[in-house]
Amino acid sequence: MKRVVLLGPPGVGKGTQAELISEKYNMLHISTGDIFRANIKEGTPLGKTAKEYMEKGLLVPDELVCDLVEDRLTWDDCKDGYLLDGFPRTVYQAERFDSWLKSRGEDLSVVLDIQASDELLIGRATGRRVCPACGKTYHIVSNPPKTEGICDNCGTALIQRADDAEETVKKRLKVYQDQTSPLIEYYTGTGKIAEVDGAPGLMEVFEQICALLGE
Ligand code: ADP
Ligand code: ADP
Ligand code: ZN
């Protein structure tokens, strides 16, 4: 039973690795970004609030995110562990999450810190294309669909996330440096962190993660 956190800057490959991990280790993948995007699509009040922050490249307020995650993690499907992608993202979120886990007698297994250079991150985020129907992620260069602009899975036309425009990506990298990167030190302090080099290809990154998670 594992509770794993994927930490890393925008575009480093958290979502991509999360899919691979969840398949191999049969772990539930929970992405706060995906939850917000689903709420935006459905036009819920949560979606309306989240959108104001997301489109500017800013983080959604801590209280809102923590309430959402704490609720989600009490669902029955989280009993056997989970993989968190994109949460926690601030020291406040990490501290509150730690005390929430503690109050339940639970603990994190590991925090995988995936890193790559800003140049790589900008190329990955701006080249990212996603399927609005099934959520599958592609990259125009490193991971293109079989037919340009069309989802392999379901045939839907791919889109670019509004926040993957270059200027917004740069803003998000700055937000990551200021608000999320302090988590590396925080989790180093708790002895939970493991470093992953996110620069090589998908499967090479995945091999490093498998070596850390074990068979
Ligand atoms: P994150 O969830 O960290 O923002 P994604 O998993 O969505 O990142 O990946 C960002 C983009 O980079 C996607 O287009 C994805 O296909 C591509 N990508 C992910 N990992 C790699 C990799 N190791 N090498 C090349 N491209 C990658
Ligand atoms: P990426 O990995 O490319 O940064 P995500 O899908 O994880 O993208 O996040 C997209 C946006 O959703 C973030 O820029 C932020 O506005 C919001 N978001 C997602 N997770 C959180 C979180 N834990 N705290 C605050 N905002 C979040
Ligand atoms: Zn699709």
Side-chain angles (χ1 to χ4, degrees), residues 1-210:
M1 217 278 267
K2 287 188 170 68
R3 296 186 195 90
V4 176
V5 166
L6 287 180
L7 183 63
V12 77
K14 299 181 299 297
T16 303
Q17 294 301 323
E19 285 305 315
L20 294 168
I21 298 167
S22 103
E23 205 172 302
K24 170 161 176 175
Y25 293 92
N26 199 17
M27 289 171 69
L28 185 71
H29 171 199
I30 298 178
S31 155
T32 40
D34 286 350
I35 295 175
F36 290 136
R37 281 183 290 275
N39 276 274
I40 290 173
K41 202 169 152 187
E42 287 160 24
T44 68
L46 173 67
K48 288 200 176 89
T49 305
K51 186 168 187 237
E52 288 177 32
Y53 295 90
M54 288 169 77
E55 63 190 11
K56 294 185 192 124
L58 301 173
L59 295 182
V60 176
D62 283 335
E63 300 287 338
L64 194 67
V65 185
C66 287
D67 288 346
L68 173 84
V69 172
E70 287 169 13
D71 173 68
R72 181 64 186 86
L73 296 185
T74 51
W75 294 16
D76 223 37
D77 58 358
C78 294
K79 271 206 321 264
D80 298 326
Y82 44 77
L83 178 61
L84 285 171
D85 160 12
F87 177 89
R89 234 174 168 109
T90 64
V91 171
Y92 176 92
Q93 291 177 20
E95 285 176 344
R96 182 167 149 181
F97 184 44
D98 268 352
S99 43
W100 183 81
L101 285 167
K102 203 167 170 196
S103 73
R104 298 163 54 86
E106 295 172 351
D107 203 0
L108 286 177
S109 311
V110 66
V111 176
L112 299 173
D113 175 36
I114 315 179
Q115 289 296 336
S117 68
D118 278 5
E119 196 189 339
L120 256 180
L121 299 173
I122 292 169
R124 284 190 188 167
T126 55
R128 170 163 48 195
R129 297 293 182 271
V130 295
C131 174
C134 75
K136 193 170 159 54
T137 298
Y138 299 86
H139 189 278
I140 51 173
V141 179
S142 68
N143 186 20
K146 291 196 184 78
T147 309
E148 193 185 325
I150 302 295
C151 179
D152 294 345
N153 263 356
C154 69
T156 306
L158 302 179
I159 58 164
Q160 182 174 31
R161 272 168 48 177
D163 62 349
D164 278 341
E166 185 160 345
E167 283 318 301
T168 314
V169 170
K170 287 182 173 160
K171 178 79 211 265
R172 286 158 61 209
L173 286 175
K174 171 93 174 63
V175 166
Y176 166 83
Q177 279 310 333
D178 292 346
Q179 296 180 261
T180 307
S181 71
L183 285 184
I184 298 171
E185 203 177 324
Y186 175 84
Y187 282 120
T188 303
T190 66
K192 295 285 180 203
I193 205 133
E195 300 295 336
V196 175
D197 178 10
L202 303 184
M203 292 318 288
E204 240 179 280
V205 177
F206 186 50
E207 277 165 23
Q208 296 173 60
I209 293 176
C210 293

